[in-house]
Amino acid sequence: MEKQNLEYMTFGGGCFWCVDSVLDLLKGVESTTSGYAGGHKANPTYEEVCTGETGHAEVVQLTYDPGIISYDQLMDVFFFLHDPTQLNRQGEDIGTQYRSAIFYKDEAEKQKAEEAMKLSEASGKYCGKYVTEITKLEKFWPAEEYHQGYYEANPTQPFCSAVVGPKIAKFKKHFGELGMLRPEVN
């Protein structure tokens, strides 16, 4: 049976392996797809995006049930997952493909994204001005199959064990305390 009233959103907060791996833990997130958005080349490859010449960001597009998890809650997750004050980087990942970005579908979602960013910035969680780009989603390109669920398939890969694993642990602690995780991951 097909679920009704599902929504989708697309955002980038650094390496898509990090973002994708935690979003799947949330109640109400039905699916996640790692991919590329915001660039000028049709059907880009990972190697092309990594050059910084295509203009794409590494992003995750997620499908969610707004009856279980709200857009505002997902924005809280987004701003928790990365540092929105870092321009074109997250930690040691440097380049425009790692930029902080929200890709909206329509004007109503653009306004919600702008409001969520203002609220997060006003919270004082991060020192500095937010550099998160809020841009209309023109096209989402799914990444190559080996990027989908990368952490789950490669937890002992050095980047995964050093960066993604600790990020997941921190995420589970914070959002588990808020009751937002699927029961099987608490």
Side-chain angles (χ1 to χ4, degrees), residues 24-38:
D24 281 330
L25 304 175
L26 291 167
K27 291 179 191 173
V29 171
E30 297 292 319
S31 66
T32 60
T33 305
S34 293
Y36 315 108

Side-chain angles (χ1 to χ4, degrees), residues 106-120:
D106 55 33
E107 285 302 309
E109 189 173 87
K110 178 184 179 186
Q111 290 176 348
K112 290 192 317 187
E114 289 171 342
E115 183 60 31
M117 188 166 87
K118 283 180 195 170
L119 287 171
S120 183

Side-chain angles (χ1 to χ4, degrees), residues 35-60:
Y36 315 108
H40 53 79
K41 183 181 186 306
N43 203 24
T45 65
Y46 180 70
E47 289 74 20
E48 291 169 330
V49 170
C50 285
T51 68
E53 295 176 12
T54 68
H56 292 87
E58 287 190 13
V59 298
V60 174

